[in-house]
Amino acid sequence: MSTLSFTLNEHRLLRSAKTPRPGVRLLELDASILDDIYNGSVVIKGEPSAEAVLCTAQSTYAVKIVETTNSLLLVPPAQTSDITSSNPGPDTENDADTENTSGNVSPAPAFQTQAMKSGAALNSIAACPATASHLELVQIAPRLQRLDTLLQASMYGEEDVDPEDGAAVMSGKVTYSFQEMLSQVQASPAELQQALTDRHAVELDGAWRTVDKSYMESLLETALFLAIQQGWSYTALSQQDLIEGLQANGHDARLVHHFLSVYAEQQGKGIWNLKEPMVCKVFAESLLQSKPKWQQEEFMDAWLNSVPQGMTPDLSMLRGMAVQEDMGTQKLVKLFNVQQLPAEPATRFKAVFQERAQWSWRDLQPYVEDLQGPGRSAEALLLKYARRVQQDPGSPVMYTAR
């Protein structure tokens, strides 16, 4: 940004510069975003009824209006024609007369005369009319509600599978490519790609889609059945064998690859290891959906009997899916899934405190950590939506509704 510097007893004339065309606003930004603008990698997105955001290749920014009580004069970069000689000659004086005639120079005559008499440098400054506000950028978390709407409407399920060969078929659903999603979702390309990964979306025929949970679980059940039938180890599944086995059971090979990327970790070329916590969590959710509240001991027995042999379930695997409660001498396990909670912070905290009046940070964290992002730290969220309670210095800190 250009700045004006003055020395003691220096005199400068202020003249009116050409006014910017109507609608032009000042935007304050840092050098990295300016580089993105020069590179053409910046877009502004927003529906007519929504607040606009500015997106670079990596980040999303809210565009805020900053009001100021001090008027700002817009001074363009100095040009040779804007600076007069410290010893103005006849030509300069004629120029000044010409500018006075056109109404572009606005110094007071007395000031001009005094400056010339003192011999000070007479540098003319061109300034646009004053402005009392400008725009600034504040980095925010991407707004992904539109993405969830698009993915929900185009979800891949049993109706998208050809019953004869298991290939994906056109079911009449409207699907979207990455670029089509990017044009509608208020997120940067990097943030959109991460959001698709977090939602376990898969690209099929050029369109990004999530896969129905029941269909993914059917792939898991079939894979586990084949592993038992063929004597395969859960920690060393052959990708090729699994693809052939699942294709024979009517599943698309691309969905088998996707299943492996979600439920397994690659151990080597073509070899995959099932993620034990994720597999156990699937069976736990099935039990909790059939019966939302269990006595802890009863639940652990049922869970252990349902998971594949050799896998050991643990209550820590239920993080973000279920809460543990003490009722007298009994310990309970209760379904409370973060994936079923609202995405907006105010309504999320309301739902959380309706479930339980007081939370320790350890229990609360799984239900609010996905809300964190630029400008949304855990501390800021708690300060805004919760109240910190501590009975005495030795008691644990708890959080209640504000």
Side-chain angles (χ1 to χ4, degrees), residues 85-288:
S85 170
S86 60
N87 296 306
D91 291 341
T92 305
E93 292 176 359
N94 290 338
D95 290 343
D97 291 341
T98 302
E99 290 181 348
N100 276 324
T101 302
S102 64
N104 288 332
V105 175
S106 56
F111 175 82
Q112 186 178 17
T113 302
Q114 183 179 356
M116 291 180 175
K117 286 182 178 179
S118 66
L122 190 59
N123 296 330
S124 175
I125 301 172
C128 296
T131 178
S133 67
H134 67 279
L135 303 177
E136 72 171 5
L137 303 179
V138 178
Q139 188 174 0
I140 60 172
R143 295 171 178 167
L144 303 173
Q145 293 87 343
R146 179 60 179 165
L147 173 63
D148 291 330
T149 300
L150 297 178
L151 291 175
Q152 181 64 35
S154 61
M155 183 178 292
Y156 185 96
E158 293 287 351
E159 66 277 9
D160 298 282
V161 181
D162 188 323
E164 294 186 5
D165 58 11
V169 297
M170 296 299 294
S171 60
K173 296 177 181 177
V174 178
T175 58
Y176 302 88
S177 67
F178 184 86
Q179 288 300 322
E180 289 170 336
M181 287 183 170
L182 189 62
S183 68
Q184 298 189 46
V185 178
Q186 291 187 319
S188 69
E191 290 168 330
L192 177 59
Q193 186 62 65
Q194 185 60 53
L196 290 169
T197 300
D198 293 342
R199 286 156 175 76
H200 302 307
V202 58
E203 188 176 17
L204 298 171
D205 301 319
W208 282 87
R209 307 173 71 177
T210 50
V211 182
D212 183 71
K213 182 184 291 187
S214 62
Y215 185 78
M216 289 291 285
E217 290 175 358
S218 72
L219 282 169
L220 175 61
E221 290 174 5
T222 306
L224 292 172
F225 174 77
L226 288 172
I228 294 172
Q229 186 182 56
Q230 302 296 329
W232 301 336
S233 170
Y234 300 136
T235 60
L237 290 175
S238 165
Q239 176 176 299
Q240 187 59 40
D241 290 343
L242 196 58
I243 288 175
E244 291 176 358
L246 288 172
Q247 276 188 309
N249 283 270
H251 296 291
D252 190 315
R254 296 171 300 175
L255 272 299
V256 180
H257 279 287
H258 178 60
F259 157 77
L260 287 171
S261 70
V262 173
Y263 285 100
E265 295 174 324
Q266 193 163 13
Q267 299 299 303
K269 188 175 181 180
I271 302 299
W272 294 78
N273 172 29
L274 285 179
K275 300 175 185 176
E276 184 171 336
M278 199 159 191
V279 173
C280 289
K281 197 169 181 177
V282 170
F283 288 92
E285 186 172 15
S286 177
L287 291 171
L288 288 166

Side-chain angles (χ1 to χ4, degrees), residues 67-71 132:
E67 302 285 351
T68 177
T69 56
N70 297 321
S71 296

Side-chain angles (χ1 to χ4, degrees), residues 369-381:
E369 61 187 2
D370 63 311
L371 300 177
Q372 298 177 52
R376 273 193 196 170
S377 65
E379 294 77 9
L381 288 167

